Amino acid sequence: MIIKSKDDQQAQVDFLSDLLERDFPKEKKSAIERELKSLRSGNKGEETSAYYLDFDFRRSEDWALIHDLRIEHEGDVAQIDHLLISRMLDIYVIETKNFASGVSISEEGAFCYFYNNKPFDIPSPITQNERHISLLRHFLQKCDLLPKRLSRTLTPEFKNIVLISPKSRLTKPSKGTYDCSMVMKSDRFLERFKDDNSGNTFGSVFSNLARTLPSVGLKRFAEVLALHHKPASIDYLAKLGLKEAASPHESAAETAPDCPKCGKAMMLRTARKGKNTGNQFWGCSGFPKCECTVAIEKSVDMRHTCPKCDGEMIKKMGRESGKAFWGCKAYPTCNGSISIDLEKGRGNK
């Protein structure tokens, strides 16, 4: 059964794509391109693994599947790509990597990926996943989330799995003592899963009935765990060093408005899908924490100033007429107003 799907990250992709269209220095654009490529590559890898996992387990009542689970606990974070949980609380913690040109593991356990046939060292995803497991174990215990069966708290058994793209080249050490059996291509995971669970016959399950959750109990536990998901919020402007360079677009004819939701400066962006594809609009520079947008034609209205006190005006609705108008924000101290269909400056004085 599928409990949670991966968070949609199209908005982040669109935001980085919009940044690429702006007039940044070459080195800044290169940094944006790398970030965008990494985001797209990660998404593709997780989507590929999710496809195989969903196909094999979505109809199962004995296994619960959670995609994209981000846990925050005592100042630490675990970004878990996939969790596969059984009724006996066997928990596969699955890390996904997408290396188009392949990955190699040395006899000492060092990982490297290839780009233009050149090797580049990377942190071990096995070790990374071990940290995720450690945090998840402590989180479940500390928050008292582990289910009980016959008045006894069940003890989970964690399994560390690293999946890479089926099209990637995977080179493992031919000898040595380093165990990298948990690293495999995503289309081979089912074989590993069957090997791990080949001993779970009807008799063994019956004998372990005291530590086996009913399907409804498994679903409830997985749903509660998924509720603790904390979506990541990345300030790309700060991460890429674009805070100063990303000042709002200005021209003699038009100045970018402040965000009506959070007050930050807005940025000129371009719609990439839907009926407004290709049209420009104002998007908050605080994205993704603030997703407020303002249509270009509406942003001009935001520059209205009160004809009586030169203060800020806000859109209001007449109680009797039912028609919209601009009214002074300082009302009732100032009762200046402008009819929506009148030009700026021709309001009541």
Side-chain angles (χ1 to χ4, degrees):
M1 67 185 85
I2 300 174
I3 303 299
K4 178 187 176 300
S5 298
K6 176 177 170 56
D7 291 351
D8 185 6
Q9 294 187 315
Q10 187 58 46
Q12 287 89 325
V13 172
D14 289 345
F15 183 75
L16 290 171
S17 298
D18 287 336
L19 288 180
L20 274 179
E21 296 180 0
R22 302 198 63 193
D23 189 21
F24 289 121
K26 184 177 180 180
E27 63 274 12
K28 295 296 185 182
K29 283 205 169 188
S30 295
I32 298 171
E33 288 173 346
R34 288 194 298 270
E35 188 70 25
L36 183 57
K37 182 178 180 180
S38 175
L39 179 61
R40 284 173 168 164
S41 177
N43 286 344
K44 184 177 180 180
E46 291 179 35
E47 289 168 1
T48 299
S49 295
Y51 167 80
Y52 289 106
L53 292 169
D54 288 351
F55 184 86
D56 293 329
F57 297 100
R58 66 179 176 226
R59 299 179 183 87
S60 174
E61 295 296 319
D62 298 323
W63 293 86
L65 188 55
I66 299 175
H67 298 298
D68 189 16
L69 179 66
R70 184 177 181 273
I71 298 295
E72 296 180 356
H73 181 58
E74 296 183 347
D76 294 319
V77 176
Q79 177 65 63
I80 300 171
D81 293 337
H82 316 278
L83 272 185
L84 185 61
I85 310 170
S86 78
R87 291 170 55 194
M88 295 178 65
L89 234 56
D90 293 324
I91 302 179
Y92 286 86
V93 182
I94 303 173
E95 176 71 15
T96 297
K97 296 297 180 184
N98 186 37
F99 302 109
S101 299
V103 62
S104 175
I105 310 171
S106 72
E107 295 181 7
E108 293 76 27
F111 280 72
C112 71
Y113 77 97
F114 296 90
Y115 182 73
N116 289 336
N117 294 321
K118 294 182 180 179
F120 294 87
D121 293 336
I122 57 172
S124 168
I126 297 176
T127 304
Q128 177 186 5
N129 219 23
E130 287 174 351
R131 290 194 294 268
H132 293 168
I133 290 173
S134 177
L135 187 146
L136 180 60
R137 178 186 287 111
H138 190 259
F139 172 77
L140 291 173
Q141 294 173 347
K142 195 78 172 180
C143 297
D144 195 25
L145 296 181
L146 291 172
K148 293 179 173 59
R149 180 70 170 158
L150 302 179
S151 301
R152 297 181 60 183
T153 300
L154 299 184
T155 302
E157 181 178 343
F158 294 96
K159 301 178 185 293
N160 188 345
I161 297 292
V162 177
L163 301 181
I164 68 170
S165 169
K167 297 181 180 180
S168 296
R169 180 182 64 193
L170 175 59
T171 305
K172 294 184 178 182
S174 56
K175 57 182 179 179
T177 59
Y178 186 75
D179 179 18
C180 56
S181 59
M182 69 286 293
V183 182
M184 66 203 73
K185 296 185 178 183
S186 54
D187 59 346
R188 312 293 291 183
F189 171 70
L190 187 60
E191 294 180 14
R192 166 63 182 265
F193 173 83
K194 289 180 177 179
D195 288 341
D196 288 347
N197 295 276
S198 59
N200 290 343
T201 61
F202 176 80
S204 64
V205 172
F206 184 79
S207 64
N208 289 307
L209 193 60
R211 57 182 297 266
T212 302
L213 290 171
S215 294
V216 65
L218 169 63
K219 182 179 180 182
R220 186 184 305 115
F221 167 67
E223 287 176 339
V224 170
L225 180 55
L227 287 175
H228 288 80
H229 171 63
K230 303 288 186 182
S233 180
I234 303 174
D235 186 345
Y236 285 113
L237 296 181
K239 182 178 181 180
L240 299 171
L242 302 175
K243 282 291 188 181
E244 296 298 326
S247 57
H249 171 78
E250 294 185 357
S251 68
E254 188 171 46
T255 302
D258 291 334
C259 176
K261 185 175 181 181
C262 71
K264 291 186 177 181
M266 305 197 85
M267 299 172 57
L268 196 62
R269 300 179 61 189
T270 303
R272 297 184 175 277
K273 59 182 179 179
K275 63 180 182 180
N276 295 317
T277 299
N279 294 339
Q280 290 187 315
F281 64 95
W282 294 112
C284 183
S285 62
F287 178 88
K289 288 186 177 180
C290 178
E291 299 182 354
C292 182
T293 61
V294 176
I296 293 294
E297 64 272 17
K298 292 182 180 179
S299 66
V300 177
D301 289 338
M302 294 178 66
R303 302 199 315 274
H304 277 301
T305 55
C306 178
K308 293 189 68 173
C309 69
D310 291 329
E312 181 182 354
M313 304 196 80
I314 57 176
K315 188 176 289 186
K316 297 184 177 182
M317 187 71 69
R319 293 183 180 179
E320 296 182 2
S321 67
K323 295 182 179 180
F325 67 95
W326 292 103
C328 184
K329 195 174 182 180
Y331 180 86
T333 303
C334 176
N335 62 356
S337 64
I338 300 176
S339 175
I340 292 294
D341 57 357
L342 293 180
E343 294 181 357
K344 180 179 177 181
R346 294 181 57 192
N348 299 329
K349 297 188 178 181

